[in-house]
Amino acid sequence: MTDLPSSVVFVTGANRGIGRALAQELLTAGVSKLYAAARDTDSLAELVNAHPDRVIAIQLDVTKANEIASAATLASDTTLLINNAGVAGFTSSMSGDAIEQARVEMDVNYFAPLAVTQAFAPVLKANGGGGVVSLSSIAALSNFPVLGTYSASKAAVHSLMQAFRAELAAQGTYVGTVYPGPVDTDMAANFESEKTAPADVAKAILAGISAKQEEIFPDAMSQNLVAVLDKDRHELDAMTATFLPAA
Ligand SMILES: NC(=O)c1ccc[n+]([C@@H]2O[C@H](COP(=O)([O-])OP(=O)(O)OC[C@H]3O[C@@H](n4cnc5c(N)ncnc54)[C@H](OP(=O)(O)O)[C@@H]3O)[C@@H](O)[C@H]2O)c1
């Protein structure tokens, strides 16, 4: 799964943020077909109208089993699945609605990539192996308390992709996981930090996929933090523990 121009790519949450940027960069890279999935296909109109020959809009709420099954049937020529859709609450783990928030995050950030990858694995196999790439977060590797429950959901998908990597190796499927730092999208609007532009992150993700990297760190902050992790994980944990919710 290294040759993007010959790929047929399926991207969840392709209507805005990193997913939209990935869609744009995939088209620039010359993919033969792009299935752009979103909960509201009207939000994909601009993308489809700009590339009617290569972009197919797909209705997909990643938490709905019937829509996942239909998507996998419709997009049966997919060779690269990108699990991008995600949600983040910025509530304290100590807040009264933390469990409710955590359930939503686990549904979208963990159970959905599990269900979507399961549905597409036979498709990828039938098409020669292909690849699956999921968006985790650098906060998966050391919890950011300002995003405490979200970080936990991203740790879950990080672990899950390790399982898929091992299990799908037999069918020749490349499995990549992406660990961005803060990216300048709606999700991070209230996060006080330097943020990388979505287009730059998308370019770095595609470079990582082309190089078949299992772990992709697509921006300076994620690269700096993983360097600390590689040196001394306790040092990173002490650092990220200071990223607290507002009092
Ligand atoms: N931004 C960051 O700083 C950052 C850092 C690390 C990792 N990430 C990860 O990168 C991915 C993209 O994030 P982003 O920054 O682009 O976020 P965003 O701007 O908030 O966009 C989120 C996308 O996910 C979609 N989505 C949410 N729930 C969905 C559902 N149930 N079914 C289908 N689509 C759904 C949204 O669709 P709607 O328009 O329908 O809501 C939207 O397209 C996420 O997995 C996120 O966790 C982001």
Side-chain angles (χ1 to χ4, degrees):
M1 180 62 262
T2 50
D3 182 37
L4 286 174
S6 66
S7 299
V8 174
V9 189
F10 189 104
V11 181
T12 67
N15 56 313
R16 62 190 173 95
I18 296 172
R20 177 73 178 79
L22 279 169
Q24 190 54 56
E25 294 305 326
L26 283 162
L27 290 162
T28 302
V31 293
S32 60
K33 195 191 282 185
L34 174 67
Y35 292 107
R39 289 193 277 200
D40 172 9
T41 50
D42 287 351
S43 62
L44 296 163
E46 193 189 318
L47 188 65
V48 175
N49 291 338
H51 305 274
D53 50 331
R54 288 193 289 159
V55 180
I56 297 171
I58 300 275
Q59 164 75 45
L60 178 60
D61 180 330
V62 294
T63 65
K64 295 195 172 151
N66 59 329
E67 293 188 9
I68 294 171
S70 304
T73 303
L74 278 169
S76 62
D77 53 350
T78 298
T79 62
L80 173 64
L81 165 67
I82 303 184
N83 289 308
N84 163 76
V87 288
F90 280 79
T91 47
S92 156
S93 301
M94 290 301 294
S95 74
D97 63 351
I99 290 178
E100 193 184 327
Q101 182 60 49
R103 286 208 168 100
V104 173
E105 290 165 341
M106 287 300 273
D107 275 345
V108 179
N109 299 345
Y110 172 66
F111 287 108
L114 172 57
V116 176
T117 304
Q118 275 193 354
F120 275 82
V123 171
L124 299 174
K125 183 179 182 182
N127 296 326
V132 184
V133 173
S134 291
L135 272 286
S136 178
S137 166
I138 193 65
L141 304 181
S142 185
N143 192 294
F144 288 22
V146 65
L147 295 153
T149 56
Y150 167 85
S151 301
S153 71
K154 290 294 179 178
V157 74
H158 154 71
S159 176
L160 177 69
M161 296 313 284
Q162 292 179 323
F164 277 127
R165 183 170 298 127
E167 289 207 51
L168 298 182
Q171 67 174 49
T173 300
Y174 151 72
V175 177
T177 312
V178 187
Y179 304 88
V183 184
D184 195 5
T185 66
D186 297 340
M187 179 177 283
N190 297 322
F191 189 62
E192 303 277 327
S193 167
E194 279 194 22
K195 294 168 204 169
T196 308
D200 292 341
V201 165
K203 284 189 186 90
I205 292 171
L206 296 194
I209 293 173
S210 295
K212 270 192 160 174
Q213 288 175 2
E214 293 182 350
E215 299 178 332
I216 301 171
F217 297 93
D219 57 276
M221 188 196 206
S222 66
Q223 288 156 16
N224 290 340
L225 292 187
V226 79
V228 178
L229 177 71
D230 288 344
K231 195 166 70 109
D232 180 351
R233 78 185 157 84
H234 297 294
E235 187 183 330
L236 181 65
D237 290 345
M239 226 163 134
T240 59
T242 65
F243 301 162
L244 287 164

